[in-house]
Amino acid sequence: MKVLVTGGLGFIGSHTVVELQNEGFEVVAIDNLSNSSLDVLEGIEKITGKRPEFENLDLRQKENVQQFFKKHADISGVIHFAASKAVGESVENPLLYYENNISTLVYLLQELQAKETAHFIFSSSCTVYGQAETMPITEDAPVQLALSPYGNTKQIGEEIITDTTKVTNINAVLLRYFNPIGAHSSAEIGELPLGVPQNLVPFITQTAIGLRKELSVFGNDYPTPDGTAIRDYIHVVDLAKAHVIALKRLMDKKNQAKVETFNVGTGKGSSVLDVITAFEKVSGQKLPYKIVDRREGDIVEAYANTDRANEVLGWSAESSLEDALASAWKWEQKLRA
Ligand code: UD1
C-alpha cells in the first residue's frame, strides 16, 4: 500500500516514514526542504534498508499538487506533516503561516476528494486546548481561542478537515500531539532545528554539547510543585507509531466516525526542572541553566489523558522521559562528532 507523507524529511515525518517502511508500506515522501535536509534520506535508508521515493515539492503551488496526484494516482493514504511550527514567527508573519499551513491543506484535500476513498492523518497539537481548565486533558476539553496564528492554523485545519469529511469520501484522524522529543535509537535521524532552538530539549542538548552557554528556564513562579511549567514529553518514535496505527485503522475501516480525534502524549506531566534532572541523569553531565522571566504566551501546564488513544486506537507510549532524552543526547553527540 502506497502512502504519501508530506513533510516526510522533517522531524516527526522522517520518524514516521521509518515506522511505515518497517510495517511494509511503500512511502512517497515530499518536502520543500525549508526546515529539513536531503541527508535525512540516507538516515532513513540506513535504518530501514530502503530509500523512500522522494520529491522536492512545495505544496503551496497548487499545480504541483495536482501534478503529483496525477503521477501517483494509486495514493489514497496521506499523512500530512508539512507545515510551519514556530509560534513567534507566526506572530511576526501570519500570512506565511496561513499560506503554509492552510492553503496547502486545502489543495491536498481537493485532490483527495476526487477519489473513491481516501485516508487522511493530520498533525494537530495540544495547543488547540490553550490552558485547559482540568488536567489531564481529554479530547472533549473545549478548543480555546488560539494565542497565535500558528495555533490558529491547527484549529482551522481541524475544522477544514471535519467539514470536508462530511461531504466527501475522505476519512480522517486528527492527532493532537503533546511535546514531541527524542530521536531514533540508531541516531541516524533526529531533530534538526534551524538556528537557535526555540524548544526545550534541542536547547538542552545544544547547551550540553557546548553550542549554547546555558539554558534559560522560562519562569519558576508558576503554580506548580517546583514553580516551572509542566508539559507532556512524548518520544517521537512512539508518536510516529501512532500515525501508522491511525492509518491502518482507516484503511481497515475500523473508524467509528468520519473524523476521530486522539491525544498523543504519555499522560505524564514533567516540569522544566524535571526534564533538566532527567537529562543530567542520562547524560552524566551537569547542565548550566539560569532562571529568567516567563516566556510570553506560555501556559502553566498541559498533559494528556490518553484513555481514548489507549482504548480506541490501541496505542500507548512505550518510552520514558529518560529514554527519550537519552536518544536526543545520542543524536546531538552524533551530529557534532
Ligand atoms: C511550543 C509551542 C507549541 C508548539 C510546539 C511545537 C509555544 C508557546 N508553544 O510548545 O504551540 O506546538 O512548541 O514544537 O511556543 N522552555 C524553557 N527554556 C527554553 C525553551 C523552553 O524554559 O529555552 C520551557 C517552556 O517555557 C515550556 C517548556 O520548556 O514550559 C517546553 O517548551 P517548548 O519545547 O518550547 O514547547 P511548548 O512551549 O510547550
Side-chain angles (χ1 to χ4, degrees):
M1 183 68 83
K2 216 180 195 183
V3 178
L4 167 62
V5 180
T6 75
L9 302 195
F11 176 42
I12 309 171
S14 58
H15 289 82
T16 302
V17 171
V18 164
E19 295 309 317
L20 284 166
Q21 294 196 157
N22 283 345
E23 292 289 315
F25 286 95
E26 196 182 322
V27 176
V28 184
I30 62 178
D31 205 297
N32 70 357
L33 304 177
S34 61
N35 190 16
S36 59
S37 144
L38 279 176
D39 297 343
V40 174
L41 287 169
E42 320 286 329
I44 295 171
E45 189 175 1
K46 277 191 188 143
I47 298 168
T48 62
K50 192 175 171 203
R51 202 180 175 88
E53 194 175 337
F54 173 71
E55 287 194 28
N56 181 343
L57 190 146
D58 195 317
L59 291 168
R60 289 174 295 189
Q61 316 299 321
K62 188 171 177 170
E63 316 78 64
N64 288 353
V65 185
Q66 291 170 330
Q67 285 305 323
F68 178 89
F69 278 94
K70 269 201 195 103
K71 184 171 158 199
H72 300 274
D74 50 342
I75 289 184
S76 59
V78 177
I79 306 185
H80 180 43
F81 295 105
S84 299
K85 59 155 198 169
V87 176
E89 184 187 45
S90 80
V91 176
E92 299 293 319
N93 197 348
L95 292 180
L96 176 76
Y97 273 66
Y98 289 116
E99 185 183 29
N100 279 356
N101 297 7
I102 301 296
S103 304
T104 56
L105 173 64
V106 172
Y107 300 156
L108 277 173
L109 294 173
Q110 281 173 333
E111 294 307 309
L112 289 179
Q113 73 173 355
K115 297 191 175 283
E116 226 161 81
T117 166
H119 319 293
F120 195 78
I121 313 295
F122 182 61
S123 284
S124 191
S125 168
C126 67
T127 195
V128 302
Y129 300 119
Q131 178 58 72
E133 274 183 21
T134 43
M135 293 296 135
I137 305 172
T138 69
E139 290 84 351
D140 297 324
V143 168
Q144 295 204 44
L145 202 63
L147 292 172
S148 69
Y150 159 75
N152 207 19
T153 65
K154 293 299 172 190
Q155 297 190 5
I156 297 170
E158 289 195 354
E159 289 171 5
I160 289 173
I161 293 164
T162 304
D163 290 342
T164 305
T165 57
K166 283 180 191 155
V167 291
T168 62
N169 288 323
I170 304 171
N171 285 265
V173 173
L174 313 176
L175 296 178
R176 291 178 175 162
Y177 315 154
F178 282 67
N179 288 55
I181 62 163
H184 193 266
S185 58
S186 64
E188 295 294 349
I189 54 171
E191 197 168 0
L192 285 167
L194 270 184
V196 181
Q198 305 298 307
N199 295 115
L200 178 64
V201 171
F203 202 101
I204 287 179
T205 57
Q206 287 197 7
T207 304
I209 208 91
L211 279 177
R212 316 269 157 219
K213 190 166 136 265
E214 62 189 351
L215 169 74
S216 294
V217 173
F218 297 139
N220 69 347
D221 57 353
Y222 283 105
T224 62
D226 67 22
T228 64
I230 290 176
R231 298 288 185 275
D232 183 339
Y233 296 92
I234 168 89
H235 195 306
V236 65
V237 173
D238 278 332
L239 176 57
K241 287 178 179 166
H243 292 79
V244 181
I245 293 173
L247 183 67
K248 282 187 179 164
R249 178 174 172 83
L250 294 184
M251 287 177 164
D252 295 343
K253 301 191 168 35
K254 298 243 172 72
N255 50 315
Q256 293 156 2
K258 296 279 291 189
V259 183
E260 293 179 316
T261 305
F262 298 99
N263 284 341
V264 190
T266 65
K268 187 172 171 281
S270 304
S271 72
V272 177
L273 294 182
D274 289 337
V275 176
I276 294 173
T277 306
F279 179 79
E280 288 181 335
K281 187 174 151 206
V282 299
S283 68
Q285 246 179 273
K286 268 262 159 265
L287 188 83
Y289 72 88
K290 65 169 183 227
I291 309 288
V292 301
D293 286 348
R294 292 181 180 191
R295 179 171 67 181
E296 207 186 310
D298 272 359
I299 53 168
V300 181
E301 61 176 348
Y303 54 97
N305 175 312
T306 60
D307 290 353
R308 193 189 285 180
N310 301 160
E311 289 156 22
V312 180
L313 198 57
W315 168 92
S316 57
E318 287 165 8
S319 297
S320 66
L321 177 64
E322 281 80 13
D323 295 336
L325 291 169
S327 68
W329 179 227
K330 186 176 169 190
W331 163 247
E332 186 72 60
Q333 288 174 295
K334 176 144 186 251
L335 260 187
R336 315 295 164 189

